[in-house]
Amino acid sequence: MKLLSNVRSNGADLAHLAAELDIPTIAGLQHQGDVSVIPAAMAADGLGRPTAQVPAAGVAVVRGEAGGHTHLLLASGDVRYDVHDGAADDITLGSLEVGEGATAWLDHPEHGNTGIAPGLYVLRRKREMAPRVFTPETRRKREQARKLARKQAVRDQAAREQEAREQAEREQFASVRFVAD
């Protein structure tokens, strides 16, 4: 089984080193690039057990976009994966079950490989945080709040300066002595 899909360095093919690599197999939460492998006990999805056997060629969990690389699920033994057909903004990719004595791997040319130990998992895409989009009303309220905060800061500074002047006057008069004739 070819685990490292494109092991190259400066154009040299290093695939012969793949056989010497020790890929850790993990039963807990793990991440590979923008894919998360979450033990089912930690996920609140309630996706149920997958039924489709992972073929020898693997299953593309996330296809590379705009020339990117694909996250490929590979298997040795009884490994099952069902794709989750959710809404377009749903980050759940599917459910994965790795049977006893089996191992699954997520393969990616840039991130390398990660081994998945026997158990039931949910695969998710990581959510990218986009800049907030404000409505015109929200922008107006934010600008008003900023203006009020700036005005309050100017008033507070003026009050501190006035207090400092009054304190200086008190100190000046405290040092003046009146002498009786």
Side-chain angles (χ1 to χ4, degrees), residues 138-152:
T138 304
R139 284 190 181 125
R140 186 183 62 75
K141 287 180 180 179
R142 283 178 50 130
E143 191 55 37
Q144 282 179 335
R146 286 182 181 144
K147 284 180 183 177
L148 286 174
R150 285 192 294 266
K151 285 181 182 179
Q152 186 62 43

Side-chain angles (χ1 to χ4, degrees), residues 8-167:
R8 297 193 180 280
S9 175
N10 296 328
D13 187 357
L14 302 176
H16 64 280
L17 295 177
E20 298 175 21
L21 292 177
D22 209 8
I23 300 169
T25 301
I26 301 169
L29 176 67
Q30 53 186 306
H31 306 281
Q32 184 196 65
D34 60 349
V35 174
S36 298
V37 179
I38 305 163
M42 294 174 69
D45 293 52
L47 285 180
R49 295 193 171 305
T51 58
Q53 188 75 32
V54 174
V59 174
V61 175
V62 175
R63 294 213 183 270
E65 297 172 7
H69 298 100
T70 297
H71 291 266
L72 186 65
L73 180 64
L74 299 167
S76 173
D78 184 25
V79 178
R80 298 174 187 277
Y81 178 73
D82 283 343
V83 175
H84 175 67
D85 294 323
D89 62 344
D90 190 357
I91 61 173
T92 300
L93 297 167
S95 59
L96 170 70
E97 184 171 16
V98 181
E100 284 302 316
T103 304
W105 293 274
L106 267 178
D107 175 57
H108 190 276
E110 292 176 347
H111 306 302
N113 291 275
T114 182
I116 306 167
L120 187 60
Y121 303 90
V122 174
L123 274 60
R124 288 194 189 135
R125 204 181 249 281
K126 289 185 186 175
R127 185 180 307 274
E128 292 187 25
M129 299 304 291
R132 285 180 74 180
V133 178
F134 296 107
T135 64
E137 178 66 17
T138 304
R139 284 190 181 125
R140 186 183 62 75
K141 287 180 180 179
R142 283 178 50 130
E143 191 55 37
Q144 282 179 335
R146 286 182 181 144
K147 284 180 183 177
L148 286 174
R150 285 192 294 266
K151 285 181 182 179
Q152 186 62 43
V154 168
R155 283 190 288 251
D156 291 347
Q157 180 63 30
R160 285 192 295 274
E161 290 171 358
Q162 179 64 29
E163 178 61 32
R165 282 193 295 276
E166 291 173 359
Q167 180 65 28

